[in-house]
């Protein structure tokens, strides 16, 4: 999806740019507090045909954007889930995701990431710069995260939540889940990237549909960025 379609003049131009920039600037990319049990439904599909179809082809498993009322104000809730399979060992992919200091090289919209580690906890202060419809937006927010490396099967679980919303975004949280397995005699890794957030509704015509399309494209591209950084050939 390109933004060229939306260029032009009209009274919805600036509100649309603001709506999309809010979504992009607040898609989380790293860690939350650890839990002993994995969330429901994160493990890889068991059907071989499904896994083969996902090899180097990440896709959105589910995406939902809905409006709701809270204390007399209209809000937009976003919930998206992206899955993919790569011919790479888990260790190679996990090195990219666990190197939080290097996120600006992996995810283009992160211009800087200040990381503080305290045991299993990771606190990140990310500066996100986004250019939409020729307008540049910049936002700083804080994520609290943790990582769990599990065996039998070999898995990596990174979960995060936002601790500083700046008053405009609420309920941002998400996860990365990686699971190594063998397919056709080769080591592969299943990857899941899930996120959700809530933001004020800007009453842009078609906002929910546009945000949903953008989420689907952005999550898949973020997953491809991780795989490329880990050595996947395009």
């Amino acid at each position: 999806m390109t933004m060229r379609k939306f260029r032009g003049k009209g009274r919805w131009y600036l509100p649309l740019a603001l709506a999309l920039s809010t979504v992009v600037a607040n898609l989380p990319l790293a860690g939350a507090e650890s839990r002993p049990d994995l969330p429901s439904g994160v493990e890889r599909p068991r059907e071989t045909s499904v896994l083969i179809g996902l090899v180097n082809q990440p896709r959105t498993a589910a995406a939902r954007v809905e409006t709701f009322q809270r204390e007399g104000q209209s809000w937009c809730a976003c919930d998206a889930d992206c899955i993919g399979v790569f011919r790479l060992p888990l260790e190679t992919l996990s090195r990219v995701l666990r190197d939080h200091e290097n996120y600006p090289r992996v995810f283009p919209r992160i211009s800087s990431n200040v990381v503080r580690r305290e045991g299993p906890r990771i606190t990140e202060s990310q500066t996100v710069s986004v250019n939409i419809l020729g307008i540049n937006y910049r936002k700083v927010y804080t994520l609290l995260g943790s990582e769990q490396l599990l065996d039998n099967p070999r898995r990596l679980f990174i979960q995060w939540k936002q601790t500083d919303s700046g008053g405009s975004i609420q309920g941002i949280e998400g996860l990365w889940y990686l699971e190594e397995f063998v397919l056709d005699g080769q080591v592969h890794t299943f990857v899941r990237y899930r996120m959700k957030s809530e933001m004020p509704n800007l009453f842009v015509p078609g906002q929910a549909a546009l945000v949903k399309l953008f989420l689907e494209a952005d999550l898949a591209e973020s997953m491809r960025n991780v795989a490329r950084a880990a050595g996947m050939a395009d």
Side-chain angles (χ1 to χ4, degrees), residues 56-67:
N56 293 347
Q57 297 292 330
R59 63 173 175 82
T60 303
R64 177 184 63 92
V65 180
E66 298 177 348
T67 58

Side-chain angles (χ1 to χ4, degrees), residues 129-150:
S129 299
V130 183
N131 188 293
I132 295 197
L133 301 177
I135 303 174
N136 187 266
Y137 301 89
R138 184 174 177 273
K139 182 175 177 64
V140 179
Y141 59 94
T142 303
L143 299 172
L144 175 64
S146 70
E147 305 169 349
Q148 297 181 69
L149 189 59
L150 310 169

